[in-house]
Amino acid sequence: PTDPKLLVNKAVILTQYEATPEAILTLKKATEIKPNYREARINLTELYIQEDKKELAQRQLDAVLKQFPGDEEALKLLKQLK
């Protein structure tokens, strides 16, 4: 699929089946297609936190907060990283 929304939906399903590495790749593809896609970046952040990849999570949050300053969900996730 080349529709980023479909890719995010696919990643959610993959996550439910604990296919985290494939879900991460799917979300990365969604952000390559649509770099400012907030939902994809938030989901990717959550998976990176789950996988203890804090630096990668931070990069996603930086991108979200640059595009959406004050985003409550992003700020909440940022607190989890600290």
Side-chain angles (χ1 to χ4, degrees):
T2 57
D3 181 343
K5 189 170 186 174
L6 291 176
L7 290 169
V8 168
N9 290 339
K10 178 182 176 182
V12 168
I13 292 167
L14 289 167
T15 302
Q16 290 173 347
Y17 285 98
E18 298 182 9
T20 303
E22 191 174 347
I24 287 172
L25 290 174
T26 302
L27 289 168
K28 285 172 67 174
K29 185 173 182 182
T31 62
E32 288 169 8
I33 294 169
K34 188 176 178 184
N36 64 344
Y37 193 11
R38 181 197 166 278
E39 185 179 355
R41 290 196 180 274
I42 291 290
N43 290 351
L44 193 49
T45 298
E46 290 172 339
L47 290 178
Y48 281 146
I49 290 171
Q50 179 182 320
E51 295 290 303
D52 200 34
K53 296 180 178 177
K54 293 181 180 182
E55 186 177 317
L56 294 173
Q58 181 70 53
R59 287 187 209 159
Q60 296 305 314
L61 289 175
D62 289 345
V64 171
L65 291 168
K66 182 177 180 183
Q67 192 76 23
F68 305 99
D71 184 283
E72 288 184 27
E73 192 170 5
L75 292 171
K76 181 180 170 186
L77 288 168
L78 188 60
K79 285 182 183 178
Q80 287 182 14
L81 286 177
K82 305 216 176 211

Coordinates of all heavy atoms in Angstrom, one line a residue:
P1 N 0.8 -1.2 0.0 CA 0.0 0.0 0.0 C 0.9 1.3 0.0 O 1.9 1.3 0.6 CB -0.8 -0.1 1.3 CG -0.6 -1.5 1.8 CD 0.5 -2.0 1.1
T2 N 0.4 2.3 -0.7 CA 1.1 3.6 -0.7 C 0.3 4.6 0.0 O 0.7 5.8 0.1 CB 1.3 4.0 -2.1 OG1 0.1 4.1 -2.8 CG2 2.3 3.1 -2.8
D3 N -0.9 4.3 0.6 CA -1.7 5.2 1.4 C -1.2 5.1 2.8 O -1.3 4.1 3.5 CB -3.1 4.8 1.3 CG -4.1 5.7 2.1 OD1 -3.6 6.5 2.9 OD2 -5.3 5.7 1.8
P4 N -0.6 6.2 3.4 CA -0.1 6.2 4.7 C -1.1 5.8 5.8 O -0.8 5.1 6.8 CB 0.5 7.6 4.9 CG 0.0 8.4 3.9 CD -0.5 7.6 2.8
K5 N -2.4 6.2 5.6 CA -3.4 5.8 6.5 C -3.6 4.3 6.6 O -3.7 3.7 7.7 CB -4.7 6.5 6.2 CG -5.8 6.3 7.3 CD -7.0 7.2 7.0 CE -7.9 7.2 8.2 NZ -9.0 8.1 8.1
L6 N -3.6 3.6 5.4 CA -3.7 2.2 5.4 C -2.5 1.5 6.0 O -2.6 0.5 6.7 CB -3.8 1.7 3.9 CG -5.1 2.0 3.2 CD1 -5.0 1.5 1.7 CD2 -6.3 1.4 3.9
L7 N -1.3 2.1 5.9 CA -0.1 1.6 6.5 C -0.2 1.7 8.0 O 0.2 0.8 8.7 CB 1.1 2.3 5.9 CG 1.5 2.0 4.5 CD1 2.6 3.0 4.0 CD2 2.0 0.6 4.3
V8 N -0.7 2.8 8.5 CA -0.9 2.9 10.0 C -1.8 1.9 10.5 O -1.6 1.2 11.5 CB -1.3 4.4 10.3 CG1 -1.8 4.4 11.8 CG2 -0.2 5.3 10.1
N9 N -2.9 1.7 9.7 CA -3.9 0.6 10.2 C -3.3 -0.7 10.2 O -3.5 -1.5 11.1 CB -5.1 0.7 9.3 CG -6.0 1.9 9.5 OD1 -5.9 2.5 10.5 ND2 -6.8 2.2 8.5
K10 N -2.4 -1.0 9.1 CA -1.7 -2.3 9.1 C -0.8 -2.4 10.3 O -0.7 -3.5 10.9 CB -1.0 -2.4 7.8 CG -0.1 -3.6 7.6 CD 0.7 -3.7 6.3 CE 1.5 -4.9 6.2 NZ 2.3 -4.9 5.0
A11 N -0.1 -1.4 10.6 CA 0.8 -1.4 11.7 C 0.1 -1.7 13.1 O 0.6 -2.4 13.9 CB 1.6 -0.1 11.8
V12 N -1.1 -1.1 13.2 CA -1.9 -1.3 14.4 C -2.2 -2.8 14.5 O -2.1 -3.4 15.6 CB -3.1 -0.5 14.4 CG1 -4.1 -0.9 15.5 CG2 -2.8 1.0 14.6
I13 N -2.6 -3.4 13.4 CA -2.9 -4.8 13.4 C -1.7 -5.7 13.7 O -1.7 -6.6 14.5 CB -3.6 -5.2 12.1 CG1 -5.0 -4.6 12.0 CG2 -3.7 -6.8 12.0 CD1 -5.6 -4.7 10.6
L14 N -0.6 -5.3 13.1 CA 0.7 -6.0 13.3 C 1.1 -6.0 14.8 O 1.5 -6.9 15.4 CB 1.8 -5.5 12.5 CG 1.7 -5.8 11.0 CD1 2.7 -4.9 10.2 CD2 2.0 -7.3 10.7
T15 N 0.9 -4.8 15.4 CA 1.2 -4.6 16.8 C 0.3 -5.5 17.7 O 0.8 -6.1 18.7 CB 1.0 -3.1 17.2 OG1 1.9 -2.3 16.4 CG2 1.4 -2.9 18.7
Q16 N -0.9 -5.6 17.3 CA -1.8 -6.5 18.1 C -1.4 -8.0 18.0 O -1.6 -8.7 19.0 CB -3.3 -6.4 17.6 CG -3.9 -5.0 17.9 CD -5.2 -4.8 17.3 OE1 -5.6 -5.5 16.4 NE2 -5.9 -3.8 17.7
Y17 N -0.7 -8.3 16.9 CA -0.2 -9.7 16.8 C 1.2 -9.8 17.2 O 1.9 -10.8 16.9 CB -0.4 -10.2 15.3 CG -1.8 -10.5 15.0 CD1 -2.7 -9.6 14.4 CD2 -2.3 -11.8 15.4 CE1 -4.0 -9.9 14.1 CE2 -3.7 -12.1 15.1 CZ -4.5 -11.2 14.5 OH -5.8 -11.5 14.2
E18 N 1.7 -8.8 17.9 CA 3.1 -8.7 18.5 C 4.2 -8.9 17.4 O 5.2 -9.4 17.6 CB 3.2 -9.8 19.6 CG 2.3 -9.5 20.7 CD 2.5 -10.5 21.9 OE1 3.4 -11.3 21.9 OE2 1.6 -10.5 22.8
A19 N 3.9 -8.4 16.2 CA 4.8 -8.3 15.1 C 5.5 -6.9 15.1 O 5.4 -6.2 14.1 CB 4.2 -8.7 13.8
T20 N 6.1 -6.6 16.2 CA 6.6 -5.2 16.4 C 7.6 -4.8 15.3 O 7.5 -3.7 14.8 CB 7.2 -5.0 17.8 OG1 6.2 -5.4 18.7 CG2 7.7 -3.6 18.0
P21 N 8.6 -5.6 15.0 CA 9.6 -5.2 13.9 C 8.9 -4.8 12.6 O 9.2 -3.8 12.0 CB 10.5 -6.4 13.8 CG 10.4 -7.1 15.1 CD 9.0 -6.9 15.5
E22 N 7.9 -5.6 12.2 CA 7.2 -5.4 10.9 C 6.4 -4.1 11.1 O 6.3 -3.3 10.1 CB 6.4 -6.6 10.5 CG 5.9 -6.4 9.1 CD 5.1 -7.7 8.6 OE1 5.2 -8.7 9.2 OE2 4.5 -7.5 7.6
A23 N 5.8 -3.9 12.3 CA 5.0 -2.7 12.5 C 5.8 -1.5 12.4 O 5.4 -0.5 11.8 CB 4.3 -2.8 13.8
I24 N 7.0 -1.5 13.0 CA 7.9 -0.4 12.9 C 8.3 -0.1 11.5 O 8.3 1.1 11.0 CB 9.2 -0.7 13.8 CG1 8.8 -0.6 15.2 CG2 10.3 0.3 13.4 CD1 9.9 -1.0 16.2
L25 N 8.6 -1.1 10.7 CA 9.0 -0.9 9.3 C 7.8 -0.3 8.5 O 8.0 0.6 7.7 CB 9.4 -2.2 8.6 CG 10.7 -2.7 9.0 CD1 11.0 -4.1 8.4 CD2 11.9 -1.8 8.7
T26 N 6.6 -0.7 8.8 CA 5.4 -0.2 8.2 C 5.1 1.2 8.5 O 4.8 2.1 7.6 CB 4.2 -1.1 8.6 OG1 4.4 -2.4 8.2 CG2 2.9 -0.6 7.9
L27 N 5.3 1.6 9.8 CA 5.2 3.0 10.2 C 6.2 3.9 9.6 O 6.0 5.1 9.2 CB 5.1 3.1 11.7 CG 3.9 2.5 12.4 CD1 4.1 2.4 13.9 CD2 2.7 3.4 12.1
K28 N 7.4 3.4 9.5 CA 8.5 4.2 8.9 C 8.2 4.5 7.4 O 8.4 5.6 7.0 CB 9.9 3.4 9.0 CG 10.4 3.5 10.4 CD 11.6 2.6 10.6 CE 12.8 3.1 9.8 NZ 14.0 2.2 10.1
K29 N 7.6 3.5 6.8 CA 7.2 3.7 5.4 C 6.1 4.8 5.3 O 6.2 5.6 4.4 CB 6.7 2.4 4.7 CG 6.4 2.5 3.3 CD 6.1 1.1 2.7 CE 5.8 1.3 1.2 NZ 5.5 0.0 0.5
A30 N 5.2 4.7 6.2 CA 4.1 5.7 6.2 C 4.7 7.1 6.4 O 4.3 8.1 5.8 CB 3.1 5.4 7.3
T31 N 5.7 7.3 7.3 CA 6.3 8.6 7.5 C 7.2 9.0 6.3 O 7.4 10.2 6.1 CB 7.1 8.7 8.8 OG1 8.2 7.8 8.7 CG2 6.3 8.4 10.0
E32 N 7.7 8.1 5.6 CA 8.4 8.4 4.3 C 7.5 9.0 3.3 O 7.8 9.9 2.6 CB 9.2 7.2 3.8 CG 10.4 6.8 4.6 CD 10.9 5.4 4.3 OE1 10.5 4.9 3.2 OE2 11.8 4.9 5.0
I33 N 6.3 8.4 3.2 CA 5.3 8.8 2.2 C 4.7 10.2 2.6 O 4.6 11.1 1.8 CB 4.2 7.8 2.1 CG1 4.7 6.5 1.5 CG2 3.0 8.3 1.2 CD1 3.8 5.3 1.5
K34 N 4.4 10.3 3.9 CA 3.9 11.6 4.5 C 4.6 12.0 5.7 O 4.2 11.5 6.8 CB 2.4 11.4 4.7 CG 1.6 12.6 5.1 CD 0.1 12.3 5.2 CE -0.6 13.6 5.6 NZ -2.0 13.4 5.9
P35 N 5.7 12.7 5.6 CA 6.5 13.0 6.7 C 5.8 13.7 7.9 O 6.3 13.6 9.1 CB 7.6 13.9 6.2 CG 7.6 13.6 4.7 CD 6.2 13.2 4.4
N36 N 4.8 14.5 7.7 CA 4.1 15.2 8.8 C 2.9 14.4 9.3 O 2.0 15.0 9.9 CB 3.7 16.6 8.3 CG 2.7 16.6 7.2 OD1 2.5 15.6 6.5 ND2 2.0 17.7 7.0
Y37 N 2.8 13.1 9.1 CA 1.7 12.3 9.5 C 1.8 12.0 11.0 O 2.6 11.1 11.4 CB 1.6 11.0 8.7 CG 0.3 10.3 8.8 CD1 -0.8 10.8 9.5 CD2 0.2 9.0 8.3 CE1 -2.0 10.1 9.6 CE2 -1.0 8.3 8.4 CZ -2.1 8.8 9.1 OH -3.2 8.1 9.2
R38 N 1.2 12.8 11.8 CA 1.3 12.7 13.3 C 1.0 11.4 13.8 O 1.7 10.9 14.7 CB 0.3 13.8 13.9 CG 0.3 13.8 15.4 CD -0.9 14.5 15.9 NE -1.0 14.3 17.3 CZ -1.5 13.2 17.9 NH1 -2.0 12.2 17.1 NH2 -1.6 13.0 19.2
E39 N -0.1 10.7 13.4 CA -0.5 9.5 14.0 C 0.6 8.4 13.8 O 0.9 7.6 14.7 CB -1.8 9.0 13.4 CG -2.4 7.7 14.0 CD -3.7 7.3 13.5 OE1 -4.3 8.0 12.6 OE2 -4.1 6.2 13.9
A40 N 1.2 8.4 12.6 CA 2.2 7.4 12.3 C 3.4 7.6 13.2 O 4.0 6.7 13.8 CB 2.6 7.5 10.8
R41 N 3.8 8.9 13.4 CA 4.9 9.2 14.2 C 4.7 8.9 15.7 O 5.5 8.4 16.4 CB 5.4 10.7 14.0 CG 6.0 10.9 12.7 CD 6.7 12.2 12.6 NE 7.3 12.4 11.3 CZ 8.5 11.9 10.9 NH1 9.2 11.2 11.7 NH2 8.9 12.2 9.7
I42 N 3.5 9.2 16.2 CA 3.1 8.9 17.6 C 3.2 7.4 17.8 O 3.7 6.9 18.8 CB 1.7 9.5 18.0 CG1 1.8 11.0 18.0 CG2 1.2 8.9 19.3 CD1 2.6 11.6 19.2
N43 N 2.6 6.6 16.9 CA 2.6 5.2 17.0 C 4.0 4.6 17.0 O 4.3 3.7 17.7 CB 1.7 4.5 15.9 CG 0.2 4.7 16.1 OD1 -0.2 5.2 17.1 ND2 -0.5 4.4 15.1
L44 N 4.8 5.2 16.1 CA 6.2 4.8 16.0 C 6.9 5.1 17.3 O 7.7 4.2 17.8 CB 6.9 5.5 14.8 CG 8.2 5.0 14.3 CD1 8.2 3.5 14.1 CD2 8.6 5.7 13.0
T45 N 6.7 6.2 17.8 CA 7.3 6.6 19.1 C 6.9 5.6 20.2 O 7.8 5.1 20.9 CB 6.8 8.0 19.6 OG1 7.2 9.0 18.6 CG2 7.3 8.3 21.0
E46 N 5.7 5.2 20.3 CA 5.2 4.2 21.3 C 5.9 2.9 21.1 O 6.3 2.3 22.1 CB 3.7 4.0 21.2 CG 3.0 5.3 21.7 CD 1.5 5.2 21.5 OE1 1.0 4.5 20.6 OE2 0.8 6.0 22.2
L47 N 6.1 2.4 19.9 CA 6.8 1.2 19.6 C 8.3 1.3 20.0 O 8.8 0.4 20.6 CB 6.6 0.7 18.2 CG 5.2 0.3 17.8 CD1 5.1 -0.1 16.3 CD2 4.8 -0.9 18.7
Y48 N 8.9 2.4 19.7 CA 10.3 2.6 20.0 C 10.5 2.6 21.5 O 11.4 2.0 22.1 CB 10.8 3.9 19.4 CG 11.2 3.8 18.0 CD1 11.0 4.9 17.1 CD2 11.7 2.7 17.4 CE1 11.4 4.9 15.8 CE2 12.1 2.6 16.0 CZ 11.9 3.7 15.2 OH 12.2 3.6 13.9
I49 N 9.6 3.2 22.3 CA 9.6 3.2 23.7 C 9.5 1.8 24.2 O 10.3 1.4 25.1 CB 8.6 4.1 24.3 CG1 8.9 5.6 24.0 CG2 8.4 3.9 25.8 CD1 7.8 6.6 24.4
Q50 N 8.6 1.1 23.7 CA 8.3 -0.3 24.1 C 9.6 -1.2 23.8 O 9.9 -2.1 24.6 CB 7.2 -0.9 23.2 CG 6.8 -2.3 23.5 CD 5.7 -2.8 22.6 OE1 4.7 -2.0 22.3 NE2 5.8 -4.0 22.1
E51 N 10.3 -0.9 22.7 CA 11.5 -1.6 22.4 C 12.8 -1.0 23.0 O 13.9 -1.4 22.7 CB 11.7 -1.6 20.9 CG 10.6 -2.4 20.1 CD 10.7 -3.8 20.3 OE1 11.8 -4.4 20.1 OE2 9.7 -4.4 20.8
D52 N 12.6 0.0 23.9 CA 13.7 0.7 24.6 C 14.7 1.3 23.6 O 15.9 1.3 23.9 CB 14.4 -0.3 25.6 CG 15.2 0.5 26.6 OD1 14.7 1.6 27.1 OD2 16.3 0.0 27.0
K53 N 14.1 1.9 22.6 CA 15.0 2.7 21.6 C 14.6 4.1 21.8 O 14.0 4.8 21.0 CB 14.6 2.2 20.2 CG 15.0 0.7 20.0 CD 14.7 0.2 18.6 CE 15.1 -1.2 18.4 NZ 14.8 -1.8 17.1
K54 N 15.2 4.7 22.9 CA 14.8 6.0 23.3 C 15.2 7.1 22.3 O 14.5 8.1 22.1 CB 15.3 6.3 24.7 CG 14.6 5.4 25.7 CD 15.2 5.7 27.1 CE 14.4 4.8 28.1 NZ 14.9 5.1 29.5
E55 N 16.4 7.0 21.8 CA 16.9 8.0 20.8 C 16.0 8.1 19.6 O 15.6 9.1 19.1 CB 18.3 7.7 20.4 CG 18.9 8.8 19.6 CD 20.4 8.5 19.2 OE1 21.2 8.1 20.1 OE2 20.8 8.8 18.1
L56 N 15.6 6.9 19.1 CA 14.7 6.9 17.9 C 13.3 7.4 18.3 O 12.7 8.2 17.5 CB 14.6 5.5 17.4 CG 15.8 4.9 16.8 CD1 15.7 3.4 16.5 CD2 16.3 5.6 15.6
A57 N 12.8 7.1 19.5 CA 11.6 7.7 20.0 C 11.7 9.2 20.0 O 10.7 9.9 19.6 CB 11.2 7.1 21.3
Q58 N 12.8 9.7 20.6 CA 13.0 11.1 20.7 C 12.9 11.8 19.3 O 12.3 12.9 19.2 CB 14.3 11.4 21.4 CG 14.6 12.9 21.6 CD 13.7 13.5 22.6 OE1 13.7 13.0 23.8 NE2 13.1 14.6 22.3
R59 N 13.5 11.2 18.3 CA 13.5 11.8 17.0 C 12.1 12.0 16.5 O 11.7 13.0 15.8 CB 14.3 11.0 16.0 CG 15.8 11.1 16.2 CD 16.6 10.4 15.1 NE 17.8 9.9 15.7 CZ 18.5 8.9 15.1 NH1 18.1 8.3 14.1 NH2 19.7 8.5 15.6
Q60 N 11.3 10.9 16.7 CA 9.9 11.0 16.3 C 9.1 12.1 17.0 O 8.4 12.8 16.4 CB 9.2 9.6 16.4 CG 9.8 8.5 15.6 CD 9.8 8.9 14.1 OE1 8.8 9.4 13.6 NE2 10.9 8.6 13.5
L61 N 9.3 12.2 18.3 CA 8.7 13.2 19.1 C 9.1 14.6 18.7 O 8.3 15.5 18.6 CB 8.9 13.0 20.6 CG 8.2 11.8 21.2 CD1 8.6 11.6 22.6 CD2 6.7 12.0 21.1
D62 N 10.4 14.8 18.4 CA 10.9 16.1 17.9 C 10.1 16.5 16.6 O 9.8 17.6 16.4 CB 12.4 16.0 17.6 CG 13.2 15.9 18.9 OD1 12.6 16.2 20.0 OD2 14.4 15.6 18.8
A63 N 10.0 15.5 15.7 CA 9.3 15.8 14.5 C 7.8 16.2 14.7 O 7.3 17.1 14.1 CB 9.4 14.6 13.5
V64 N 7.1 15.5 15.6 CA 5.7 15.8 15.9 C 5.7 17.2 16.5 O 4.8 18.0 16.1 CB 5.1 14.7 16.9 CG1 3.8 15.2 17.4 CG2 5.0 13.4 16.2
L65 N 6.5 17.4 17.5 CA 6.4 18.7 18.2 C 6.8 19.9 17.4 O 6.4 21.0 17.6 CB 7.2 18.7 19.5 CG 6.6 17.7 20.6 CD1 7.6 17.5 21.7 CD2 5.3 18.3 21.1
K66 N 7.7 19.7 16.4 CA 8.0 20.7 15.4 C 6.8 21.1 14.6 O 6.6 22.3 14.4 CB 9.2 20.2 14.5 CG 9.6 21.3 13.6 CD 10.8 20.8 12.7 CE 11.3 21.9 11.8 NZ 12.4 21.4 10.9
Q67 N 6.1 20.1 14.2 CA 4.9 20.3 13.4 C 3.7 20.7 14.2 O 2.9 21.5 13.8 CB 4.6 19.0 12.6 CG 3.6 19.1 11.5 CD 4.1 19.8 10.3 OE1 5.3 19.8 10.0 NE2 3.2 20.4 9.5
F68 N 3.6 20.2 15.4 CA 2.4 20.4 16.3 C 2.9 20.8 17.7 O 2.8 20.0 18.6 CB 1.5 19.1 16.3 CG 1.1 18.6 15.0 CD1 1.8 17.5 14.4 CD2 0.0 19.2 14.3 CE1 1.4 17.0 13.2 CE2 -0.4 18.7 13.1 CZ 0.3 17.6 12.5
P69 N 3.4 22.0 17.8 CA 3.9 22.4 19.2 C 2.8 22.3 20.2 O 1.6 22.6 19.9 CB 4.3 23.9 19.0 CG 4.4 24.1 17.5 CD 3.5 23.1 16.9
G70 N 3.1 21.8 21.4 CA 2.1 21.6 22.4 C 1.2 20.4 22.3 O 0.3 20.3 23.1
D71 N 1.5 19.5 21.4 CA 0.7 18.3 21.2 C 0.7 17.5 22.5 O 1.8 17.1 23.0 CB 1.3 17.5 20.1 CG 0.4 16.2 19.8 OD1 0.6 15.3 20.6 OD2 -0.3 16.2 18.8
E72 N -0.4 17.4 23.2 CA -0.5 16.8 24.5 C 0.0 15.3 24.5 O 0.7 14.9 25.5 CB -1.9 16.8 25.0 CG -2.4 18.2 25.4 CD -3.8 18.3 26.0 OE1 -4.2 17.2 26.6 OE2 -4.4 19.3 25.9
E73 N -0.4 14.5 23.5 CA 0.1 13.2 23.5 C 1.6 13.1 23.3 O 2.3 12.3 24.0 CB -0.6 12.4 22.4 CG -0.4 10.9 22.5 CD -1.3 10.1 21.5 OE1 -2.0 10.7 20.7 OE2 -1.3 8.9 21.6
A74 N 2.2 13.9 22.5 CA 3.6 13.9 22.3 C 4.3 14.3 23.6 O 5.3 13.8 23.9 CB 4.0 14.8 21.1
L75 N 3.8 15.3 24.2 CA 4.4 15.8 25.5 C 4.3 14.7 26.6 O 5.3 14.6 27.3 CB 3.7 17.1 25.9 CG 4.0 18.3 25.1 CD1 3.1 19.5 25.5 CD2 5.5 18.7 25.1
K76 N 3.3 14.0 26.6 CA 3.1 12.9 27.6 C 4.2 11.8 27.3 O 4.8 11.3 28.2 CB 1.7 12.3 27.5 CG 1.4 11.2 28.5 CD 0.0 10.7 28.3 CE -0.2 9.5 29.1 NZ -1.6 8.9 28.8
L77 N 4.3 11.5 26.0 CA 5.3 10.5 25.7 C 6.7 11.0 26.0 O 7.6 10.2 26.4 CB 5.2 10.1 24.2 CG 4.0 9.3 23.9 CD1 3.8 9.2 22.3 CD2 4.1 7.9 24.4
L78 N 7.0 12.3 25.8 CA 8.3 12.9 26.1 C 8.6 12.7 27.6 O 9.8 12.4 27.9 CB 8.2 14.4 25.7 CG 9.6 15.1 25.7 CD1 10.6 14.5 24.8 CD2 9.3 16.6 25.4
K79 N 7.6 12.9 28.4 CA 7.9 12.7 29.8 C 8.3 11.2 30.2 O 9.1 11.0 31.1 CB 6.6 13.0 30.6 CG 6.4 14.5 30.7 CD 5.2 14.8 31.6 CE 4.9 16.3 31.6 NZ 3.7 16.7 32.4
Q80 N 7.7 10.3 29.4 CA 8.1 8.9 29.6 C 9.5 8.6 29.3 O 10.1 7.7 29.8 CB 7.2 7.9 28.7 CG 5.8 7.8 29.2 CD 5.0 6.8 28.3 OE1 5.6 6.1 27.5 NE2 3.7 6.8 28.5
L81 N 10.1 9.4 28.3 CA 11.5 9.2 27.9 C 12.5 9.7 29.0 O 13.6 9.3 29.0 CB 11.7 9.9 26.6 CG 11.1 9.3 25.4 CD1 11.5 10.2 24.2 CD2 11.7 7.9 25.2
K82 N 12.0 10.6 29.8 CA 13.0 11.2 30.8 C 13.0 10.5 32.1 O 12.3 9.7 32.4 CB 12.6 12.6 31.0 CG 12.5 13.3 29.6 CD 13.0 14.7 29.7 CE 13.0 15.3 28.2 NZ 13.8 16.2 27.8

